[in-house]
Every structure is written in structure tokens, then in C-alpha cells.
Amino acid sequence: MASLTAQERKIVETLRSPMRWGEAYLRNRDGSPREYWPHQREDLLCEERNIIHLDGRAVGKCLAGDTLITDCTTGERVRMDRLRPGRAIAVLGPDQKICICKDYEVHPNGRRACWKLTTRSGRSIQATDNHPFLTDGGWVPLGGLRVGDWLAVTKHHPVHTPENPQVSDDELKLLAYFIADGGIAHASAVFTKTEPILVDEFRQCVLRLFPGIQVAPVDGISYRVTTGRRGRRNPCIGWLRRHGLMGKKSKEKFIPPILFTCSQRQWAVFLSRLFGCDGWFHVQKDGLPRIGYCSASLRLAEEVHHALLRFGIQSDLRVKAVNNVDYWCVEIRTLSHVQRFGRLIGMVGMKGIELEGIMDAAPKDAHNPWDVIPAPLVRPIVENLKRRFTWNQITGNKNRRIRLNRYNPTRALVAEYAANCEGTALHELAASDIHWDKVVAIEYVGKQETFDLSVPGYHNFVANDIIVHNSINLSTLILHYAFITHGGQGLVAAPHQGHLDTIIEEVEFQLDNNPDLMNSVALTKYGKPKIHRKPYFRLELTNGSILYFRPAGAYGDAFRSLHVDRVWVDEAAWLSEKAWKALRQCLNEGGTLRIYSTPNGLRNTTYYRLTMSEQFTVFRWPSWLNPNWSEERESELLAFYGGRDTSG
């Protein structure tokens, strides 16, 4: 070292330290250099041979108990404090597509200080200040978000429930009519409407559902559902009471839970009547139509806002004051989503007839200024493409430039550029299931009962239609090892392939966005990078090092025949004992083992025994991640997990 120049010494020090190497070579999603939190530096700088992590469950990254999670199998919206494993929930996959997962754990975390985050489209969620949310700069804790920041929300919900035989079309129509224009706050059930088409359908539905019941005019615009004589029980009122609607004022109305278990066709029957009564539309000066729905009930408006996502329709939820009274409006602003509403849902009555005429006169295609992709996500990909393509090839126009320092491109524009140059990363952005929203408010709401939802592998989930997170990242250690170790053999292991996909996606992102890293990948005799994806992901570098990515499965069969010098295990607490045995046999003598996991509390397991071993340095990231960590909680953690801290 003494004979080296200052520049050479700096290079050597950078290569020796995973942390300095990561800061020099790796990038965040917005193109900025990677920086590490104090707890991550502790891990990266630790030179002990064997390391084990007790992560996740007690870190305090929590959501309020009334947060709603959609069961993608049944369509139900389940409160976080009532959610149990086994229900199918929506998660964001590494390909940026929303998919379904049933492998997760829910843990209560007590009363914690929470903040309410609200987006421009009207979505909101209550969380602790260290709960991460997906932004254009990666995962950022709520406390690090500011008004105006981009936030990832879901474009749709993967719910495809079959027809619910417990709810007839007549019931769906009647529920819509009573919720929209029904007087059900007192002892009688009244429907108020002047439009003959809607009044006639209302009357026919009542007579079919409740034979012998009458629909009697009251004052020319209102119609009461009555038995015709005193003392006789009114089955319509009993039916409304069973759905929880009887006695509700306008501000208290809601969509009965049974509707969330209905099919898309049944939802269309309900919503077309709801919008036919309280919906509206108008044509703007540019000839583009907008559709909206208005209610005095915030809960009802939020449920309509959510229900439209079942059809892939994006809408905005806003408050509007009328005569000093707040009303809640759900508005569909973009032509493609207005067209989708007209095609899949529509409105009944005269509004429906007029809407069809407006839709026929509307432009067949129009610019969508609301569906944009943040420039920081597009910029590094375009900079990489400029090394291989001209502006003409990327944009399709020699006079056009992508001025990402001035604007955020629309999704359609990014898709066009992706098609022009066959850009996989650009296509993934354009085809993703993420809708980029903006933060408009963050306000303190006091202490709430909170819960942590841990999703192995995906490390995120959709709550209140917003994408939230629960994970750590191994890419720095993995890539640093392969980059500096000549002939090194490393294995990244996890219980299932889904657990590995997030890590693989991050590794590929770093390779795609760093020429030095990509140039270090070995080539086949045909000049193709040695990045193998079948049957398992494998990466080979020019220095002879190889990284294997293998799922354990039930028996660890994928580990057999491998002999490696270093192993990283993600979600290790969930490996079976047979998989652990196979994993130990593939690690060469003197090899290094790094283990990461959320503990599951089980005692008679290999993972638990390793936490007690003198041969392992144990890290507990909760004590760094949670600024309110106390000795009492540290003692509780030790008592529950039975771990042993040797890191000092």
C-alpha cells in the first residue's frame, strides 16, 4: 500500500469495502448514488465470517388497524386488525405487475403515533412515520415524504369473483336506488325521483322482490314502499335493515359488504343505477367528457372510488362545499377511462342515453396528461439507451428530444419510445400496474392501534389502494462479492422463488444502469451476457465468479450438487429442516454464511439454534430502525425470540 498513489489507494479501499463500493457503483431508482443508513453500514462493515439478522417484526413500521386490505379471492375489504393469513392479498411483483399472495404474517404492534397521508387522487392511509412507501426515488419512510412527492398507487385490483347467487339483479338495482335517492332515515322507505324510466324500474323491482307490497305516490316526486294496511310487517324495510341501511341519513350511507363479493357484471348493474341517480357528466371546452358521482357520505364516495378500480378505472375523490355543506365527488377525468366507464358500466335512464351521444361525438383518441411516469425513473434508462440509439431511433422523430428536466412524460409516450428502440426497462415502466399519484397532505392523527403485515419475498402489499413496503436488500453484498472475488462461487437462497424475484430484479436493475458492472459480466461465444434464467437464475462474471439464485422448496433439492464459498439466505426462518441440511452440505469448509429473516418464534428449528450459536454475530435492526426503541422492548424481543446479541 505504501508504494501506491493516493488515487490507487482510494480505489483499493473502495474495492475492499462493500459500503464504499456500493456508494461508488450502485444507484437508486432516480439515478442518484446509493447511500446507506447507519444500521446498513454496521452490516456492510462487519467482517465476521457468519452473520445472522433478526429483522422486521418489531421494527415499528406499522399501519393503523382500520387500514383496508382487499381479499382478491372474495372481493371483501378486510380491516388490518381482522386480517388472518390465508386470504389472498394484492402485492406488487418485481415486474411491476400486481399479483396475488397468500404467504404473509400479521403482527400487532400496540398503540403508536400515526400520520395520515393523502394523495392528489383522494386516497389516504394512516401509518407510523417510519413505514416506507414507494416513490420515484425508491422506498421512502413516511417521515421522509413531502407534499408534492410522487407516490405509487395501484391501477387496478386483481379481483375476479364469480356471480354471487345470494344477490339478484333486482336487489342490486333496489340497493342502488335506495342508497342514491332513498329516504330511509326514519320508519318508512321512500324513493324520490322524477324520471319515469327510473321510477318504473324501481316499482317493478319492488313488486318482483316483495309480492303484495305497494309503491304508492306521495307528492308527485316521491314513492313510498308500503304494505297497504297497518299492522302488517313490511318485508322491504326488513330487507334494508338486514343490509344495515335502514335508519341511515344521507351522510351515513354506505355500500353493503355483500356487494364486494359480487362479480364485475353485478357491480356494473349496481353502479349504473347509482350513477344514473346521483351521477353527472359534462363536456369541457376541448370536447372531452368527464363523468362524476356525488354523495354527502364520505364512506360511500370512498367505496365507489375503490369499486371503480375493479374495472381498471382511475378516478379522483374530492370534497366540494355546497351551501356550507361538504359533498364528496368521485370524478373520472381522462378520456380512456371515461370510455371504459361507458363501455363496462354506463348509466341508466336519460343520462345513459345522453352519455352515449356525447361519447359518440368525443375524440376517438386524446392525450392523457394525468397518467404520467416521473422523469427520475425514465432519465437513467434513456441515458443508457442514448449510448446505443440516436434520438431519431428513440423518439421516432429526428427533431424531437426527450426533455426530462422540464416535464414528466406520459405513459403513452414512454410506451412509444419503448416500442421504437425495443427498450425492456421502458416497456416495463409503461406497462406497469403502478399509477403515479402525488402527496398533497401529511397530518398527525394521534396514537392508533397498529399492525405489521410481513410478506416474505414480495416485501410489499396494497393497502387502501396504496402500495406499502416491509423489506431489506441484499444486492450490495451479492454484487460486491462477485465483482471483486476471482473465481468466487456464491449462492443466494430463499424458501420460494417469489422470495428471490425481488433480489434478482434489483441485481438486474444495477447491471442495466451501470456500464462497469455490465461489462464485468462474462459473454458467451455468441456475444450474449452469461445471465441464465432457466431453470434458475445464474450470473457469471469475467473474473470467473458465479452467483446462483436457488429456491429451497420443501427439501432443498435445488441446492444439491452445488459447492459454494458464500451463502446468503433471505427469509431463513421459513426454511424447512431438510432444506437447511441440503444448504449446509453445499457450503464449502471455511465458507461464509449470512442469514436474514423475520423470526417466526419457533424454538426447535435450525434458524433458532443459529441465533443462539457463539459462531454467529447477531444483528437486530429494530434497535436502529425505531427511534423510540426502549430497553423494555429490547427485553421483550430477546424473551420472545430467544436470540443472543454478540455484536456489542
Side-chain angles (χ1 to χ4, degrees):
M1 286 287 287
S3 60
L4 298 179
T5 65
Q7 181 65 24
E8 290 171 335
R9 281 198 299 272
K10 184 177 180 181
I11 293 174
V12 171
E13 290 172 358
T14 298
L15 291 176
R16 282 182 174 177
S17 167
M19 185 189 74
R20 292 189 179 182
W21 183 87
E23 292 171 340
Y25 283 93
L26 304 187
R27 293 291 180 269
N28 297 315
R29 296 298 167 127
D30 63 355
S32 62
R34 175 165 289 183
E35 296 180 358
Y36 296 97
W37 296 349
H39 67 279
Q40 292 173 320
R41 295 184 191 131
E42 295 260 4
D43 177 33
L44 294 173
L45 296 175
C46 181
E47 297 182 355
E48 296 294 328
R49 189 164 63 87
N50 296 323
I51 291 176
I52 192 165
H53 281 252
L54 303 178
D55 304 325
R57 184 138 81 188
V59 302
K61 297 186 293 183
C62 317
L63 299 176
D66 62 357
T67 303
L68 295 173
I69 310 291
T70 298
D71 185 327
C72 297
T73 300
T74 67
E76 298 170 277
R77 302 183 81 193
V78 186
R79 286 172 54 110
M80 178 84 88
D81 54 8
R82 298 173 187 168
L83 184 66
R84 298 294 179 269
R87 287 184 177 271
I89 65 173
V91 299
L92 182 69
D95 58 354
Q96 298 193 40
K97 293 290 186 180
I98 297 293
C99 52
I100 294 173
C101 177
K102 294 183 178 180
D103 181 18
Y104 57 87
E105 295 288 336
V106 183
H107 309 287
N109 261 321
R111 290 182 63 80
R112 307 230 178 268
C114 289
W115 282 257
K116 180 181 179 181
L117 180 150
T118 305
T119 71
R120 183 172 61 187
S121 69
R123 294 175 172 88
S124 62
I125 193 168
Q126 294 182 23
T128 54
D129 64 346
N130 59 347
H131 203 296
F133 292 84
L134 183 57
T135 73
D136 58 328
W139 293 97
V140 176
L142 189 150
L145 294 175
R146 298 292 180 268
V147 171
D149 286 350
W150 289 105
L151 196 73
V153 302
T154 182
K155 281 176 61 179
H156 72 95
H157 275 295
V159 179
H160 304 287
T161 51
E163 295 279 310
N164 187 339
Q166 299 179 31
V167 189
S168 68
D169 283 4
D170 283 337
E171 289 181 278
L172 293 168
K173 296 171 186 177
L174 267 192
L175 284 171
Y177 287 137
F178 276 121
I179 290 171
D181 288 313
I184 53 178
H186 303 292
S188 59
V190 178
F191 177 62
T192 301
K193 208 70 185 174
T194 59
E195 187 176 330
I197 296 175
L198 302 184
V199 172
D200 184 61
E201 185 176 68
F202 172 82
R203 179 183 287 108
Q204 294 300 321
C205 289
V206 171
L207 297 180
R208 282 193 295 265
L209 278 174
F210 311 110
I213 295 299
Q214 301 174 14
V215 179
V218 178
D219 54 11
I221 62 170
S222 298
Y223 301 85
R224 179 178 285 111
V225 179
T226 176
T227 62
R229 64 176 187 267
R230 291 184 178 181
R232 184 182 173 190
R233 183 172 296 177
N234 191 328
C236 181
I237 290 178
W239 173 76
L240 286 169
R241 189 172 287 117
R242 286 195 298 274
H243 284 296
L245 291 171
M246 199 62 203
K248 299 297 183 185
K249 298 178 181 179
S250 296
K251 289 186 176 182
E252 301 169 333
K253 289 181 178 179
F254 59 92
I255 296 177
I258 194 170
L259 260 75
F260 291 95
T261 66
C262 289
S263 68
Q264 192 177 76
R265 186 200 67 81
Q266 290 175 306
W267 265 108
V269 170
F270 173 81
L271 290 173
S272 62
R273 272 72 188 174
L274 200 68
F275 275 78
C277 290
D278 284 344
W280 52 266
F281 58 84
H282 73 268
V283 180
Q284 303 173 99
K285 293 181 180 179
D286 56 8
L288 297 178
R290 285 189 178 182
I291 293 175
Y293 171 79
C294 191
S295 173
S297 168
L298 173 58
R299 176 179 172 182
L300 175 57
E302 286 179 334
E303 289 171 336
V304 171
H305 191 214
H306 167 81
L308 290 174
L309 287 176
R310 297 274 290 265
F311 298 85
I313 297 173
Q314 289 289 332
S315 59
D316 293 335
L317 175 63
R318 303 181 185 282
V319 63
K320 182 179 181 180
V322 179
N323 297 326
N324 295 322
V325 177
D326 286 344
Y327 286 85
W328 301 91
C329 296
V330 179
E331 187 176 11
I332 306 169
R333 299 195 293 175
T334 60
L335 178 62
S336 60
H337 292 277
V338 169
Q339 292 170 330
R340 191 172 182 84
F341 178 91
R343 186 171 66 252
L344 299 179
I345 300 173
M347 298 184 187
V348 296
M350 291 305 300
K351 288 181 181 177
I353 296 172
E354 294 172 7
L355 178 62
E356 288 182 8
I358 288 175
M359 295 301 296
D360 290 339
K364 300 305 177 185
D365 188 23
H367 177 66
N368 183 353
W370 306 107
D371 191 7
V372 301
I373 296 176
L377 293 174
V378 182
R379 188 179 297 114
I381 301 175
V382 171
E383 291 298 324
N384 190 38
L385 289 174
K386 281 166 59 180
R387 299 186 181 98
R388 296 181 288 141
F389 299 96
T390 64
W391 280 120
N392 185 23
Q393 291 172 316
I394 296 174
T395 66
N397 186 332
K398 65 180 181 180
N399 296 318
R400 184 189 296 176
R401 296 290 186 270
I402 306 176
R403 304 187 186 282
L404 297 175
N405 60 327
R406 297 185 182 180
Y407 68 90
N408 299 292
T410 64
R411 187 181 300 271
L413 197 59
V414 173
E416 180 184 332
Y417 295 160
N420 290 340
C421 58
E422 298 182 355
T424 303
L426 278 183
H427 174 74
E428 195 172 83
L429 281 179
S432 75
D433 286 338
I434 295 174
H435 175 74
W436 289 100
D437 212 339
K438 277 199 170 184
V439 177
V440 296
I442 301 173
E443 53 187 325
Y444 180 65
V445 292
K447 290 190 174 182
Q448 309 282 337
E449 288 294 333
T450 60
F451 293 79
D452 174 37
L453 180 58
S454 176
V455 188
Y458 294 101
H459 304 301
N460 70 78
F461 55 97
V462 178
N464 285 11
D465 305 331
I466 298 173
I467 299 169
V468 294
H469 185 272
N470 72 326
S471 76
I472 61 172
N473 190 314
L474 299 175
S475 60
T476 300
L477 289 169
I478 295 166
L479 287 171
H480 174 258
Y481 171 79
F483 191 80
I484 70 165
T485 309
H486 290 269
Q489 304 277 305
L491 167 64
V492 184
H496 305 292
Q497 184 61 43
H499 301 145
L500 293 173
D501 287 339
T502 301
I503 305 171
I504 293 171
E505 190 271 338
E506 176 64 20
V507 168
E508 290 195 287
F509 171 82
Q510 297 299 339
L511 292 175
D512 289 340
N513 289 277
N514 190 310
D516 289 334
L517 288 178
M518 182 55 80
N519 290 336
S520 70
V521 177
L523 302 177
T524 67
K525 62 180 180 180
Y526 303 106
K528 298 281 183 73
K530 286 190 175 182
I531 302 176
H532 309 270
R533 293 178 174 82
K534 294 182 179 180
Y536 303 111
F537 191 85
R538 185 174 84 248
L539 175 66
E540 299 185 31
L541 272 63
T542 54
N543 62 7
S545 63
I546 302 176
L547 290 175
Y548 301 93
F549 295 76
R550 299 285 178 90
Y555 305 103
D557 291 337
F559 303 151
R560 304 185 195 283
S561 77
L562 284 180
H563 297 283
V564 297
D565 303 307
R566 186 161 298 195
V567 173
W568 300 267
V569 191
D570 193 22
E571 300 296 349
W574 308 99
L575 259 65
S576 70
E577 293 304 297
K578 291 182 179 179
W580 273 113
K581 182 178 180 180
L583 188 64
R584 285 196 298 268
Q585 292 174 349
C586 76
L587 182 61
N588 292 330
E589 185 177 354
T592 298
L593 181 59
R594 284 186 176 241
I595 300 171
Y596 299 81
S597 188
T598 300
N600 56 16
L602 299 179
R603 295 293 195 272
N604 190 27
T605 65
T606 294
Y607 175 77
Y608 171 74
R609 288 189 289 271
L610 292 179
T611 66
M612 300 290 291
S613 173
E614 295 286 350
Q615 298 178 7
F616 279 81
T617 298
V618 181
F619 281 92
R620 289 185 178 82
W621 281 7
S623 57
W624 284 292
L625 288 176
N626 187 351
N628 299 318
W629 194 260
S630 64
E631 292 184 4
E632 181 182 1
R633 294 209 59 204
E634 183 78 16
S635 300
E636 290 175 359
L637 179 73
L638 288 169
F640 183 79
Y641 294 150
R644 175 175 173 163
D645 192 350
T646 61
S647 63

